[in-house]
Amino acid sequence: MKIKKIHLNNFRQYKGFHELDLSTSKNKPFNIILGNNGFGKTSTYRAISWCLFNKEPRLSNIRQKEFQNERLNFKVAQQMLINEEETVSVKIIFLDENNNEKTVERSEVFQKIKDKTDTKPVELKYLPKKAQLDVTFYNSEGLQSREDDSAEQYIENNIINGSIQNFFFFDGQDIQDFVKANKSSSIESHLNILTGITDMTSVLKNLKNLRSELVKKIPKSTGTSPEAILVRTQNSVTEKIELGNKLVNDIGELEEEILSIKNEINDYVEIIKKNEATEKIYNKVEIIDIQKVALNEKYNEIDNKYKTDILESFANVVLRKEIDDFDTLIAKKIENKELPPPALENVEDILDLIIDEDKLVIKDIDGKLKKDKQFYAKINWIKNFNKEKFLDKIKEYNQGVASKRKSQIANIATHTKEFTAGILNDSPTIIFENAKNSYDELKKIKNKLSNLDKQRADHMNEIGNYDKKSMKEIQKKHDMAEIRLKVANRDLTKKEAIVETNIDFIRELNEEIKNIKKNISSSSEAYIQLNFLEKSINLLEPAIEDTRLEALKVTNDRFRKLIETTTLKKGFWNAKISENYNLNVSDKNNNNLLPLNGSPLMSTGEQFLTGYCYMQSMQEGLELRFPMFIDTPLSAVSLEYRKGIMENFVNLKDKDIQTTFFFTDSELTDDVFKIIKPYVSNFYEIKISSLDKDNAIETNYHKRTI
């Protein structure tokens, strides 16, 4: 079954006639209706549900009546005259497996009573006698039609049963509420629908009611007659059965309590183990700290020596080249004769030898007489100058030479070789070798310290919040939990023993009842009927339960598979429907994330994911090919889960299930659209144009090119 078209006429925001073409192909089974909140997106979703089931989603039975008048577009209502009547209708055109059309059209008529005032809206009167439901379809006899009750029956039997609408109409908020409530009655009802035993459960309920009524006709339990004894015995059996049922419930609760206590104990054990391990790690950290202190002391010792060696040899190393250069400079100055010339010594004697009476002579070194000297030239002294003054000038010159020789440069020049000899003879190689060795040693110590720091950091990451006081409290809680576990196990054993005894006692009483019945006249019609009812109930009740459990097993397989393929936490969740018909989702530590008496221990997105997987697993079991409608599917779903949820819907395309998504702009992100785009046949966007006043939509849906 697929939807071809939908017609809306004056339905809520949609003023006048509007048409949606939802025809899809096998390879493109998806439709998208996009609209912001308040634009009429959810109204379209409600219109489909109202047309089929005479009920709008998100409205209770009381509110269905309360908001009934609001189905007629408020703009139309305002423009109506007093006592004028207007119709609101929705028509759905289906295509069956043979491509034949089936139509369902529901309409209501409203009469205007009063105009709108400043304080009150338009007052309308619903005219139930003018409400209509029409169904048309083809069969071997040609085009057929049904109206009202007959049409309702046709929809229930041939299109979709209202009891399973939740498996095809998905509302994001309802999905989350269903998971949070986790009601066993709802899930049991779903399984009854899934297995087709809803009628059987109704029959069983009626049989039990008949039995109760029939028991009232049986003679009172007082007296010694076989009938009275039979009644007393049957009452005893009933009491034992009721006791047994109560004990079974108690046992189920005890088993859950025991599981909860075990999980609690496991948590305490983990904390205790972690804290014991933490204490050991602290000891390791202390050893590392001691090693670090020793290494730091050694490092400082070598570092100080290293720096001292460098400082002590700094002058040697730095001045070496300067001394070399200075030595070369002195040598060069000597070579260039830039240093003071030598002093003129013994000048007076020399002058006496070569100057005699203002004449230049050379005396015979051995001669003693004047004749022993040879005259060469006559000396003409400058005015006021003579030999004595000449000797004074030479003496002045020698004093200048002596003064220069006593200057710093001359002194250094004189002693430079002695000064530089010691330094220049000491090689810097030894100095640098010592420094290099010290540096290498420091580097090794740094590496050791770095490794110790890493070990320490790793240990600190392992350390929890170690607190001896809280540790004692945890140990105390652990011991108390162990005591509670022993008590619960003891109660469980005791109640299981009582159940076993009860079963044996019921067996004995049933044998006794058989024997009593043999002695009672077969003409007793009440007993015959009661006996028949007992047999029927005893046959039907286990058959229903077996059927439901088999459906539960198959559904659980689908449920687990969907959860595993959707969630990002692979191997983290263990999801199933329990035998008590509750959703049970546990983490890898076996903690129940959906406790019966408490808030879910999972995110909103995870709740949505669980609900969708559950509904899809139920839907698969129905094997009914009916269109799906999903309103705001991702409204509260985090980004990490959106991909998995949408891919689950994509997987349904192979089953050729037509699916219409009602998205808000914030839900239909690029990554979501990318997943479903290849499978979309129609894409409508609801936009409020200038013609649409006060959210009363008069323009058609805007069809977008994909």
Side-chain angles (χ1 to χ4, degrees), residues 356-357 363-364 367-375:
D356 184 23
E357 295 178 354
K363 294 181 180 179
D364 185 352
K368 297 178 180 180
L369 302 175
K370 287 186 179 181
K371 62 177 183 180
D372 296 328
K373 58 184 178 184
Q374 189 175 353
F375 172 76

Side-chain angles (χ1 to χ4, degrees), residues 214-349:
L214 197 57
V215 167
K216 295 176 183 177
K217 300 177 182 180
I218 301 297
K220 301 299 180 184
S221 58
T222 57
T224 58
S225 66
E227 289 84 0
I229 295 171
L230 177 61
V231 170
R232 287 199 296 272
T233 309
Q234 286 178 327
N235 287 342
S236 296
V237 170
T238 302
E239 290 172 3
K240 294 295 181 185
I241 289 173
E242 290 176 355
L243 174 62
N245 289 335
K246 183 179 182 305
L247 286 169
V248 168
N249 288 334
D250 290 346
I251 287 170
E253 291 176 2
L254 276 171
E255 286 175 340
E256 287 189 6
E257 182 184 352
I258 287 169
L259 180 60
S260 175
I261 293 172
K262 284 181 177 178
N263 290 335
E264 185 181 344
I265 289 172
N266 287 338
D267 290 340
Y268 293 146
V269 168
E270 286 299 316
I271 294 171
I272 291 168
K273 284 182 179 177
K274 187 174 181 180
N275 279 279
E276 287 175 347
T278 297
E279 192 171 15
K280 292 178 181 177
I281 294 169
Y282 266 124
N283 292 335
K284 292 180 181 178
V285 169
E286 286 179 6
I287 293 171
I288 288 173
D289 287 341
I290 292 170
Q291 291 175 335
K292 283 182 64 180
V293 168
L295 282 172
N296 277 317
E297 288 177 355
K298 186 175 180 182
Y299 182 92
N300 290 333
E301 181 185 342
I302 294 173
D303 189 47
N304 289 335
K305 183 178 182 304
Y306 170 63
K307 290 175 181 175
T308 302
D309 289 345
I310 292 296
L311 288 172
E312 287 178 351
S313 52
F314 180 77
N316 187 311
V317 173
V318 172
L319 293 175
R320 181 179 180 85
K321 183 176 186 305
E322 298 297 329
I323 291 169
D324 273 336
D325 291 344
F326 184 70
D327 191 55
T328 304
L329 177 65
I330 294 300
K332 187 174 181 181
K333 284 184 177 292
I334 292 172
E335 181 182 349
N336 293 339
K337 299 182 179 179
E338 293 178 22
L339 291 177
L344 298 177
E345 298 176 355
N346 303 318
V347 174
E348 192 173 349
D349 293 338

Side-chain angles (χ1 to χ4, degrees), residues 90-179:
V90 176
K91 181 179 181 179
I92 304 175
I93 303 172
F94 291 95
L95 289 177
D96 64 15
E97 290 74 11
N98 299 318
N99 219 31
N100 292 323
E101 287 189 1
K102 292 183 179 182
T103 65
V104 178
E105 183 172 14
R106 191 181 295 274
S107 62
E108 290 178 339
V109 179
F110 296 89
Q111 184 182 40
K112 187 170 183 177
I113 305 300
K114 289 183 181 179
D115 275 321
K116 177 185 177 183
T117 67
D118 292 338
T119 57
K120 293 183 179 180
V122 172
E123 186 177 336
L124 298 173
K125 181 181 179 181
Y126 169 60
L127 305 177
K129 290 184 179 180
K130 294 190 176 184
Q132 279 186 273
L133 175 64
D134 297 303
V135 174
T136 63
F137 59 93
Y138 287 91
N139 62 16
S140 58
E141 298 176 1
L143 182 65
Q144 304 293 315
S145 65
R146 299 284 187 273
E147 295 180 358
D148 300 329
D149 291 344
S150 179
E152 295 276 10
Q153 195 64 41
Y154 183 86
I155 292 171
E156 286 282 312
N157 295 334
N158 299 282
I159 296 180
I160 182 171
N161 191 299
S163 62
I164 61 173
Q165 71 180 90
N166 287 339
F167 300 151
F168 296 92
F169 285 77
F170 288 179
D171 184 312
Q173 186 58 54
D174 288 346
I175 288 286
Q176 187 187 12
D177 291 343
F178 167 78
V179 172

Side-chain angles (χ1 to χ4, degrees), residues 27-38:
N27 295 326
K28 292 187 173 185
F30 295 161
N31 294 307
I32 292 176
I33 297 177
L34 178 66
N36 283 333
N37 292 330

